[in-house]
Amino acid sequence: MVFAGINYLAIVIAALSSFGFGALYYMSLAKPWMAAIGKTADELKANSSKTPFVVAIVAELIIAWVLAGALGHLGAGQVTPRNGLITGFILWGGFVITTMAVNHAYEGAKRTRTIIDGGHWLGVLLIQGLVIGFFGV
């Protein structure tokens, strides 16, 4: 097996791009998301902290690094935008949405929450795959 390598600049740009996407995504779906988690804007403001944002950016850096590694294992010349999108989708379908669905089912979460949060993580992986594939190795 040939490992194509990792472009660390692509990882950082992919993580920052997907973080920005998440901000826009959840701002546009704020009301249905709050209804899905059963909280009001006032409740969220009362418990506000910067910790979730730090956790999110660190997680997105790790996700981008892992995605870049998965793409690198396709071999030389295979780190492309197309393969980035395909790999991002496969990882989302195989690991992310399935894990979320199980966790949300046990929590008794509303299906809307799984759809909204799952859509966010799909967007994250597709954006990251596209950016990493665009930059290549």
Side-chain angles (χ1 to χ4, degrees), residues 1-70:
M1 177 185 331
V2 177
F3 182 68
I6 291 178
N7 182 325
Y8 290 98
L9 177 62
I11 289 170
V12 171
I13 292 173
L16 293 174
S17 299
S18 61
F19 184 81
F21 161 75
L24 294 173
Y25 182 85
Y26 280 109
M27 281 192 302
S28 68
L29 294 171
K31 287 183 182 180
W33 179 75
M34 284 188 288
I37 65 168
K39 297 200 183 241
T40 66
D42 290 336
E43 288 175 311
L44 292 175
K45 285 179 189 173
N47 295 321
S48 68
S49 148
K50 293 185 180 182
T51 302
F53 298 104
V54 173
V55 170
I57 195 64
V58 169
E60 288 174 356
L61 280 164
I62 294 168
I63 292 167
W65 178 66
V66 170
L67 181 55

Side-chain angles (χ1 to χ4, degrees), residues 70-124:
L71 282 166
H73 277 285
L74 294 176
Q78 296 301 309
V79 182
T80 65
R82 180 179 183 272
N83 285 341
L85 288 171
I86 292 168
T87 304
F89 182 77
I90 289 169
L91 293 177
W92 174 81
F95 298 105
V96 177
I97 196 64
T98 52
T99 303
M100 285 179 51
V102 170
N103 288 351
H104 289 178
Y106 277 106
E107 291 173 11
K110 295 179 181 177
R111 184 172 289 153
T112 308
R113 179 178 170 200
T114 306
I115 292 167
I116 291 171
D117 289 346
H120 163 255
W121 290 112
L122 175 60
V124 165

